[in-house]
Amino acid sequence: MRPIGILGGTFDPIHYGHLRLAEEMLELAQLQHILFIPTGNPPHRDAPQVSAAHRSEMVKLAISDQPAFILDDREVKRSNKCYTVNTLRELRAEIGVSQPLCLLMGGDAFLQLHTWHEWEQILELAHIVVGYRPGYTLEERIHSATPALRAHYQHRLCAVDYLSKHAFGGIAELAIPKLEISATLIRTRVAEKRTIRYLLPATVAHYIYKHNLYTPC
Ligand code: ATP
């Protein structure tokens, strides 16, 4: 059964780094589709600069030309803290126990996984698929992770075909060129009135200017 992918993020704003990661993973992990889940009230980091409604709208614009990308705004609709593990429990209840589910993330996010709420439970609900820069494998960087995360990585590392044969529990790595783009870079450039063209879809850039986002008052 082809897995469903999940890409969570603040998407403050969404950019081509996120979209390329998703597009490459869609192809390499042969996913059915990817749910883009903007986080409402992220537990690990500072509050996003713009409202959940704006961040969701920008995701919707950015993915409108890729039918395999779907906006799932369940987290932004909640007023309480959103933990990924709870979102996965909710999704698992909807799709059943046998549908493979893959939580997608960059290598930097994976190395911080031990800081996530009930992080070990995540692997009882989904696979984790990690993108790493070609030439910089996760294996070389995993020694900087906590012993518990390292142990999961070593026991659960799997090939891509495992992802469609099992519903959850594997950790797969995919070599994906990382674009040097971050939402922080885009917010800074907008605030400094510098160009953001070609860092994100033009529709999202227009939305940012139209609604005066990321400009200091
Ligand atoms: P910020 O600059 O505000 O910290 P960000 O651009 O890193 O934001 P997030 O919403 O925090 O974006 O990231 C969501 C997911 O996308 C994470 O798993 C992260 O590793 C991944 N990601 C972000 N930027 C890139 C990129 N340029 N290439 C590949 N993956 C990325």
Side-chain angles (χ1 to χ4, degrees), residues 9-214:
T10 39
F11 301 126
D12 189 21
I14 189 166
H15 53 71
Y16 281 134
H18 301 127
L19 293 164
R20 281 300 309 168
L21 177 76
E23 183 73 13
E24 296 262 4
M25 286 191 166
L26 182 75
E27 181 180 68
L28 295 172
Q30 297 183 6
L31 306 174
Q32 288 180 28
H33 56 259
I34 296 178
L35 302 176
F36 281 66
I37 309 189
T39 182
N41 187 1
H44 310 94
R45 46 182 286 164
D46 297 341
Q49 281 202 11
V50 308
S51 70
H54 280 316
R55 291 183 292 109
S56 288
E57 200 51 44
M58 290 189 280
V59 171
K60 200 191 284 177
L61 288 170
I63 65 178
S64 62
D65 59 351
Q66 169 48 292
F69 290 175
I70 298 166
L71 170 67
D72 182 322
D73 60 0
R74 69 182 68 222
E75 289 196 2
V76 299
K77 286 183 175 153
R78 284 196 211 123
S79 54
N80 52 348
K81 269 201 191 316
C82 295
Y83 292 113
T84 300
V85 69
N86 292 335
T87 301
L88 291 175
R89 284 188 180 115
E90 215 175 281
L91 276 165
R92 184 51 79 200
E94 291 167 17
I95 63 178
V97 288
S98 53
Q99 168 63 53
L101 205 52
C102 292
L103 184 62
L104 316 177
M105 62 182 74
D108 296 338
F110 179 75
L111 292 171
Q112 293 304 314
L113 190 69
H114 62 279
T115 63
W116 295 23
H117 183 64
E118 291 186 57
W119 67 273
E120 286 169 292
Q121 281 303 309
I122 290 177
L123 283 156
E124 303 300 322
L125 293 156
H127 303 297
I128 295 183
V129 182
V130 188
Y132 68 91
R133 288 167 204 246
Y136 294 85
T137 65
L138 205 54
E139 202 178 353
E140 289 161 17
R141 295 170 64 203
I142 198 69
H143 53 77
S144 67
T146 60
L149 182 56
R150 208 159 55 228
H152 277 288
Y153 171 81
Q154 281 156 355
H155 291 127
R156 295 173 180 272
L157 195 61
C158 66
V160 165
D161 61 348
Y162 183 94
L163 303 174
S164 51
K165 293 184 182 140
H166 303 266
F168 60 89
I171 297 176
E173 293 176 286
L174 299 175
I176 295 180
K178 186 170 188 237
L179 302 181
E180 287 304 326
I181 304 174
S182 68
T184 306
L185 172 79
I186 292 169
R187 294 194 300 270
T188 306
R189 293 183 74 98
V190 175
E192 293 173 349
K193 300 197 183 320
R194 297 180 63 196
T195 172
I196 54 170
R197 192 192 290 249
Y198 309 132
L199 295 174
L200 73 179
T203 47
V204 179
H206 291 147
Y207 186 93
I208 289 172
Y209 295 130
K210 184 173 166 200
H211 295 274
N212 271 321
L213 307 182
Y214 309 118

